[in-house]
Amino acid sequence: MERTATGPAAAASPPLTGAPFPDGLGAVPVPAIADLLDGVPRQRHATPLAPAPGPAPVEGRPAAPLPLSLSVPRLWRLLPTPAGTPFTFAYMAVLAVTSVFATLADPALVQALYQDSSTDVAHLVRTPAVVLLASALWIAGGVLSPYAVAFVLVLTALERRIGGARAACVFLAGHVLATLATEIPVGLAVLVGHLPPTSLHRLDYGISFGVAGSIGALSGLLRPWLRWPLLALTAAELVSDLIAFVDPMTNWGHLIALTIGVASWPFVRRWVDAPR
């Protein structure tokens, strides 16, 4: 550790050989002075003390400045990129295209595509795999809906932590399992006569189940001060929608998807440290 010189400048250098000291001690040979200074740490030029301790600079190399990421939050990491989050970026591009198409195309054509992509009981019985994938290509409410914004932020954060393939598995688990959990009871209710046959053709499409499942999974990777408020706010919003009783089957599906995401915590926490 370097010290700071505090004495007068005239005392920084010993007198020449044979020269008397100012106090009249007489001439002292240079070797004697050197012997006396052997026990004193060598002094360098005066340097003001640093305000905070830091790593010692390498000799002959200037100390590296603090990285910008330590002082300025990298807000751009909240958004998907082709290299960093390829799954979210590609999926977002597809959803943007379908949303623009739904806005500009003939409404009758769009409604027909919605119906063909619907994960109702009638379609799930005939072509389950096709409609489960096709229904996730549309955003109910367009690209400015709350679920569209949540999709971008949540899937980006989740993919940066566990990778694209695993983030896709989490999203599909929420989308597929919550869909089956809501549509199978409808089919059984129609079978026993508690619901009319028209319930087999209920319009059901969108990404909201997958987003809700992803929110539940991501919350397990966050710090407690952020995890529990996120879960509480999300659950409160979904419960309020259920109480409103506008679309109870879909609202139950959102809560089921959120629960599926929470149930995936052991897996997503293990995936954080696993090779991708």
Side-chain angles (χ1 to χ4, degrees):
M1 175 178 179
E2 295 184 2
R3 299 173 184 263
T4 303
T6 57
S13 301
L16 297 177
T17 304
F21 282 96
D23 55 2
L25 294 178
V28 181
V30 172
I33 297 176
D35 292 338
L36 292 175
L37 294 179
D38 283 344
V40 181
R42 293 184 179 271
Q43 306 292 310
R44 294 189 180 182
H45 59 279
T47 304
L49 292 176
V58 180
E59 188 69 26
R61 182 185 304 171
L66 289 175
L68 184 61
S69 60
L70 296 180
S71 56
V72 180
R74 292 181 292 182
L75 297 180
W76 61 268
R77 288 181 62 84
L78 298 176
L79 300 177
T81 58
T85 55
F87 166 70
T88 306
F89 186 86
Y91 198 176
M92 182 189 68
V94 172
L95 292 174
V97 171
T98 58
S99 297
V100 171
F101 175 82
T103 302
L104 301 179
D106 180 66
L109 174 61
V110 173
Q111 188 64 25
L113 291 174
Y114 286 163
Q115 190 63 56
D116 290 340
S117 304
S118 175
T119 51
D120 53 38
V121 177
H123 284 98
L124 286 173
V125 171
R126 295 196 303 266
T127 56
V130 173
V131 294
L132 284 171
L133 293 177
S135 63
L137 299 179
W138 308 95
I139 302 179
V143 292
L144 298 181
S145 68
Y147 279 103
V149 177
F151 169 85
V152 173
L153 298 179
V154 172
L155 263 294
T156 299
L158 187 62
E159 184 173 0
R160 289 192 185 279
R161 286 165 171 79
I162 65 175
R166 291 160 181 165
C169 290
V170 171
F171 181 89
L172 287 176
H175 175 70
V176 173
L177 296 180
T179 297
L180 296 178
T182 53
E183 293 297 340
I184 290 177
V186 172
L188 295 177
V190 172
L191 186 63
V192 299
H194 291 307
L195 288 176
T198 55
S199 300
L200 300 176
H201 303 277
R202 189 177 68 92
L203 189 62
D204 188 11
Y205 67 92
I207 61 172
S208 58
F209 289 174
V211 172
S214 300
I215 292 175
L218 176 63
S219 62
L221 302 178
L222 302 176
R223 296 184 182 276
W225 66 268
L226 185 57
R227 174 191 311 150
W228 302 118
L230 174 63
L231 280 178
L233 291 175
T234 304
E237 181 66 25
L238 298 182
V239 169
S240 66
D241 291 341
L242 183 61
I243 294 175
F245 212 73
V246 176
D247 189 358
M249 293 303 299
T250 299
N251 299 144
W252 273 115
H254 290 153
L255 285 172
I256 293 172
L258 183 66
T259 304
I260 292 170
V262 172
S264 70
W265 284 2
F267 302 99
V268 295
R269 287 171 174 173
R270 191 180 308 124
W271 288 342
V272 169
D273 299 325
R276 302 177 187 177

